[in-house]
Amino acid sequence: MTSSARDIRGGPTKLFFVSMLTKDISLMDAILDLVDNSIDGAMRSLGDKMSDANSLAGYFCKLTINSKLFEVLDNCGGIPDELLDTAFQLGRPRLEADKNIPTIGMYGIGMKRAIFKISESAGVVSKSCTKVASVSYSRDWLNPDNDSWDLQIEESAVVDEERGFKIGSNDLRPEISIQFGKADFINSLRYKIGEHFGYLIERGFLIEVNGDPVSPRVAKLMFNPDKNVLPYDFSATIGGVKVKVTIGFFRQLTREVELEEATESNKDTDLNQSGITVICNDRVIVASDTTALTGWGVGATPKYHPQFRAIAGVISFFSLDATLLPVATTKHDLDQSKESFQIARNMAMEGIVLFTSFTNRWKGREQETDAILDRHEIKPARSIVLAEDAKLGSVSRVAPDARKFMPELPKPASSSRVRRVAFSRDATEIKKMAEFLLGKPDANPGDVGVAAWEDALVKMDRK
Amino acid sequence: MSASGLPYHLRPRKFVDRELFAEFVAQLLSSEGSENYVYISMGGKHLSDHRSLYRRTAIQCLYSFDGNQDIVAHQNYFKPFDGVCCEELYSNELAGKIDSILGRFSKTNAIIWLDYTASISATQLDEVSTLIGKLRPGDVLRVTVNLQAKDRDQMESVLPLAQRTMAELTADYIRNITGSYLRETTKEVAASRIDLALSECLEAAFVRGLSQTGYVPIPVLLTKYTDSTTMFVATVLIQEGEQPQVPLGWRFVPSDWQDILLIDLPDLTPSERYRFDPVMHHTVEEISAILGFNFVNADELDRYRRFHRFYPIFESVAS
């Protein structure tokens, strides 16, 4: 055969994007991506004012979700003219497009991927200051066998004051329609939105699902200088990313009876707020983590245990260049290879050790700490500034501008000589002892153990 | 199943609640046929609910389980007849055993009662969710849950710090122990309506558990009563469609998950009831005139009449 050369197609197929790419993301995460885009719009609209504490007040993203309709509506400014032509492309041709916005979206696929996942056809309308632009993703366009990537954009003049973005579909994929019809799905979505965007909701951004505002779930820590109960705090700039780590107590210490219950049930609930939350540009990437991901059980740091339920913390990353953040492409996982993440995790481990040691020092005397861990002295974790306080924080050598604050937590007046005595005995024996010592055959085994010990002490003293 | 230590059959509110359930099962089996069903529950030492269902429904296949081998031994020795099977099993193991229990008795459907005595928790709700996922149309699941009372300090000690009203605190406390089973939109739970929150959690557990099968849990009886704590009991019939297909004669179908029947009996001795029953058909005012003093109010009279035929009587207690 004589050699020859010819052109073949090396580009992507519609099938890949419409059917395959959508498998990489869960339905819930796809919806979160759309809310995220609204927030980016709000940030763009704010410009210089975006760092103010309550700067997102007045902006909203309203979701309408049921078995027949999916709609996302915001008032966050719409797509700027200069981004209009490329906003509907799959992938971002210029990574500088949102260079000065604290976003976490980098690759320009969130909106499109969500539309492909949810609907058989959808419409998008953007209302900016200068024009109204609408694009329709028809069934024919979304057909994987149709390899045309051309979209028609209709543009017209602005006729009202609304500035925002709307995605709507009443042509849902059948399997999505079933999910959207379930109250449990909507409930889980609400909790997830409250967790993922809690810090942005606290800054005033309103997110509604089917007319009901979502409540934020954010970390708050005890802050009581008078009683020396302050969080561990660290801040630095690493690899172009502002890093902050704050660890402390958010409730009173775990009691014995809670530990017994935890042993029997063996798990915390899915809304547990103990553990470390990782935030990138105000979005929660990982919530209430109690695994090695945030340092628990790594090296000398204790593994998470219900004894440590009172401990919570936040690792926060901020950068106007989203590519520097330790967030994976899905936006719901971490890039653990980034130096900023590795240093932040090490600092979190320092904080965890500090507070777990406190619980060990006061073990058996948890009730005495109630007066110290005053539940009225609380502050949002992210508002706490201790490391950067010139009088309180000190230099840390991990990075050029790194500073750290290590609180001197209260210690028991006498070092605790309390030790835990724990053993297992046959249930029939326990019942007999309970009847004999307490007159109550179904008394709590812990109470029976204490009664038996005290009885033995009395006999010992008499000898 | 004795939460308080009192023998089960001497707790009148629980007795009435159980009799209501037995009546529903009797009506269901009159059309479905008792020969297709096995009844499964933690019968306690006295197998009271097994005896009650046997009397009311003629259901012959009765299965009791308990994690305590002494209770199982007691059950096996004193069981009313040989058709009652008593075994050692934990509640979280039941879901995996349903098929083998049905197979052992060669039955197609199950009626199951999970009676939790410990305060409600996500673990219980997970068990319920897992169990209902194994059930099929025609099966019945009944679950009893409760919330043991805590004061403000006790609830706040396990929660993130915040300023809260008592109703907000109760909602956050229940959410803390049940997780996302309590709706995110439930921000307050009044002390007098904890049953609504428990109903919400159970509904979520049922729906979650059946989400893979597409079957629907139709509430057929929702009750609440107070022993030492507020007990809430939900009975659901598993169906394929949303339209309830409950027995025609069953009058206690709730309109929705908030329509909860209160079982609150006036505190009467047997001799007082013996003397009151002949006049109970009169109005409140007429009763007061006959007795010579104010005896019951309108609500109490209404409840007395409504549950009258379900009250424990001497013969029921003696058995």
Side-chain angles (χ1 to χ4, degrees), chain A residues 200-443:
Chain A
L200 291 154
I201 297 173
E202 288 259 290
R203 286 177 60 189
F205 193 81
L206 171 68
I207 304 176
E208 280 183 9
V209 178
N210 293 341
D212 286 317
V214 174
S215 299
R217 295 175 66 77
V218 296
K220 291 182 179 168
L221 300 176
M222 284 187 195
F223 191 94
N224 194 340
D226 294 338
K227 291 181 180 151
N228 279 341
V229 175
L230 293 168
Y232 167 96
D233 192 39
F234 167 86
S235 74
T237 305
I238 302 166
V241 178
K242 280 193 196 150
V243 179
K244 188 160 159 51
V245 179
T246 313
I247 314 280
F249 289 127
F250 72 101
R251 49 156 278 189
Q252 292 171 340
L253 295 188
T254 316
R255 299 292 200 270
E256 278 288 330
V257 72
E258 261 189 278
L259 282 176
E260 280 174 23
E261 282 167 3
T263 305
E264 284 169 25
S265 66
N266 203 33
K267 57 183 275 195
D268 292 322
T269 74
D270 59 351
L271 300 184
N272 174 43
Q273 292 196 281
S274 313
I276 311 299
T277 296
V278 183
I279 303 170
C280 289
N281 284 356
D282 286 341
R283 281 83 156 176
V284 170
I285 308 300
V286 169
S288 301
D289 181 78
T290 55
T291 72
L293 177 66
T294 52
W296 296 91
V298 177
T301 309
K303 215 169 168 183
Y304 179 78
H305 182 274
Q307 178 183 316
F308 309 137
R309 263 187 192 154
I311 301 171
V314 170
I315 301 175
S316 181
F317 300 94
F318 184 87
S319 174
L320 291 178
D321 183 349
T323 61
L324 300 178
L325 296 169
V327 61
T329 54
T330 60
K331 294 197 273 185
H332 305 288
D333 207 349
L334 292 166
D335 178 0
Q336 296 179 55
S337 65
K338 286 272 197 316
E339 187 195 13
S340 56
F341 176 78
Q342 288 168 3
I343 291 175
R345 190 175 84 147
N346 287 341
M347 296 300 110
M349 284 157 64
E350 276 189 13
I352 291 169
V353 166
L354 194 62
F355 287 90
T356 52
S357 298
F358 179 93
T359 70
N360 285 327
R361 281 201 185 89
W362 288 90
K363 206 170 189 173
R365 302 166 72 166
E366 288 83 7
Q367 214 140 340
E368 292 174 47
T369 66
D370 288 353
I372 302 167
L373 303 182
D374 187 341
R375 58 178 173 258
H376 296 296
E377 303 296 333
I378 50 162
K379 262 188 161 189
R382 298 224 314 170
S383 71
I384 290 167
V385 177
L386 289 165
E388 289 170 19
D389 186 311
K391 289 188 190 145
L392 295 172
S394 56
V395 168
S396 167
R397 291 180 298 177
V398 301
D401 70 342
R403 292 182 64 81
K404 184 164 73 176
F405 171 77
M406 296 272 279
E408 287 288 336
L409 295 172
K411 295 185 174 64
S414 49
S415 60
S416 176
R417 294 174 306 162
V418 171
R419 296 287 180 271
R420 182 174 165 78
V421 177
F423 53 92
S424 302
R425 301 296 297 184
D426 180 81
T428 317
E429 255 184 39
I430 296 173
K431 202 168 163 179
K432 281 189 193 164
M433 288 286 266
E435 176 80 68
F436 179 68
L437 292 171
L438 299 170
K440 286 194 295 182
D442 55 355

Side-chain angles (χ1 to χ4, degrees), chain A residues 182 184 187 190-191 212 214-215 217 222 250-252 258 265 267 269-271 273 375-376 378 428, chain B residues 70 122-123 126 153 156-161 163 175-177 179-180 182-185 187 208 211:
Chain A
K182 293 182 183 175
D184 196 49
N187 183 51
R190 292 184 61 89
Y191 275 119
D212 286 317
V214 174
S215 299
R217 295 175 66 77
M222 284 187 195
F250 72 101
R251 49 156 278 189
Q252 292 171 340
E258 261 189 278
S265 66
K267 57 183 275 195
T269 74
D270 59 351
L271 300 184
Q273 292 196 281
R375 58 178 173 258
H376 296 296
I378 50 162
T428 317
Chain B
D70 290 332
T123 304
D126 287 345
D153 281 350
E156 280 186 335
S157 71
V158 299
L159 289 172
L161 307 172
Q163 301 290 336
R175 196 185 326 275
N176 186 57
I177 56 178
S180 62
L182 187 72
R183 272 185 226 128
E184 195 267 352
T185 46
K187 308 295 185 200
R208 217 174 269 191
S211 63

Side-chain angles (χ1 to χ4, degrees), chain B residues 1 8 11-24 49 52-53 56 113 115 142-145 221-227 231-235 250 252 260-265 307 310-312:
Chain B
M1 290 207 232
Y8 178 98
R11 291 159 62 190
R13 294 179 182 91
K14 188 159 184 136
F15 184 97
V16 168
D17 180 56
R18 190 194 67 208
E19 291 300 299
L20 278 167
F21 170 59
E23 169 121 332
F24 166 73
D49 52 310
S52 173
L53 260 80
R56 286 254 195 185
W113 185 355
D115 188 349
R142 177 167 162 89
V143 182
T144 304
V145 292
L221 180 63
L222 301 175
T223 54
K224 81 166 179 179
Y225 60 90
T226 303
D227 276 341
M231 315 294 288
F232 171 72
V233 194
T235 307
W250 180 241
F252 296 98
I260 299 169
L261 195 60
L262 169 65
I263 299 175
D264 187 13
L265 315 179
F307 299 124
F310 299 105
Y311 283 4

Side-chain angles (χ1 to χ4, degrees), chain A residues 178-189, chain B residues 183 203 207:
Chain A
I178 292 171
Q179 286 286 81
F180 283 359
K182 293 182 183 175
D184 196 49
F185 175 82
I186 303 295
N187 183 51
S188 298
L189 177 66
Chain B
R183 272 185 226 128
E203 181 193 0
V207 167

